[in-house]
Amino acid sequence: MFLKKSKLFIGTGGKAVEIEQLNRQKIQESVEDSKEDLNIELLAEVSSTNDVAKQLLNEHADQFSLIATNKQTAGRGRSGKSFYSSLDHGLYFSLAFQPNTNQIEKIPLYTILAAATLVEVLEKYIDEPLGIKWVNDIFYKGRKVIGILSEMVTTGITQEVPGIVIGMGLNLAGDFTQADEDIQAVAGTLFGQELPKNFNQNKFLGEFVTRFLMYHQNFSEEKFLTVYEEHLLGRGQQVYYIVNNKKYEGIIQGINEKGHLLVLKPDQSIETLYGQEVHFGSQQFMTQKE
């Protein structure tokens, strides 16, 4: 189901809030100097934007695709965990494309790239800095407001490395009274209960794609790593983490050139963390500032 109307009214706290609906032409107009064959798909409702992105990547492997919606019914995060997508004002979108590298070990850096792009573009709309909990969660005012899920996809064309799909879920505005207690304990929004007048989701998506493509087209320079580390939560602080169901402690030192997390252990050795099996409890980052 594709969006047709330009305005949408959503009730929050008894009020009717007018927001501009997703619009392909307005997103495209906000994308500057794109060298990519950009395909934009806007859906009124979808189970998961990543699922649609995977399909598009298989059908149009030579295109750079953006899939976006305000209603996602089966969003998911790392390790198959569900991602709450029932907020009054949520924006859920995915990118599907061929990575600008022939080194498969470099592809995970696109998660770092996406996070760096989000904080750079969003910070002009908010009044405090964003923080990144390694590797794929973004916090604002001590609450998780954005989740990122990157997935490699083998397409039908002959290539040295797989394609990539990156899904991003943004908690724009609303509350979590209908969510379970675990989500209520850590989740927050970028804008409180209602969207501000200065935030237009079409313009934001165009700005995001523009910035993302700049980093993508100059991927080998890896300038996004500096932005990411500047926003990394927990640097110099004692944290705990779970690896293969075992709990460890250490002090976050930063990231290396591969985007792996460096942790100083109690025996003064440095451990390098990477991969899906590493998990950090979100609540220990909720009061931390950069």
Side-chain angles (χ1 to χ4, degrees), residues 4 22 26 28-29 35 44 46 51 53 60 64 87 112 121 135 139 156 177 180 198-199 201 257 260 280 287:
K4 296 180 180 179
L22 292 168
K26 291 183 178 181
Q28 183 70 66
E29 289 173 352
K35 299 177 183 178
V46 66
D51 290 343
H60 307 285
F64 187 101
L87 202 61
I112 304 291
V121 176
V135 61
F139 279 57
T177 54
D180 62 41
N198 72 328
F199 183 82
Q201 59 182 355
E257 72 282 356
H260 301 161
F280 286 84
T287 60

Side-chain angles (χ1 to χ4, degrees), residues 269-282:
S269 64
I270 298 292
E271 183 172 14
T272 302
L273 300 178
Y274 59 93
Q276 293 284 333
E277 72 279 3
V278 183
H279 300 279
F280 286 84
S282 290

Side-chain angles (χ1 to χ4, degrees), residues 166-220:
I166 305 176
M168 288 150 278
L170 279 62
N171 300 336
L172 297 178
D175 62 56
F176 295 89
T177 54
Q178 302 303 313
D180 62 41
E181 292 182 357
D182 289 342
I183 293 173
Q184 291 184 37
V186 299
T189 67
L190 286 159
F191 303 116
Q193 293 292 316
E194 297 180 8
L195 287 173
K197 292 182 179 179
N198 72 328
F199 183 82
N200 179 294
Q201 59 182 355
N202 293 308
K203 183 179 179 182
F204 160 73
L205 284 171
E207 292 171 340
F208 175 86
V209 170
T210 298
R211 191 69 177 171
F212 188 97
L213 286 175
M214 184 275 293
Y215 282 133
H216 168 65
Q217 291 159 358
N218 300 282
F219 183 77
S220 62

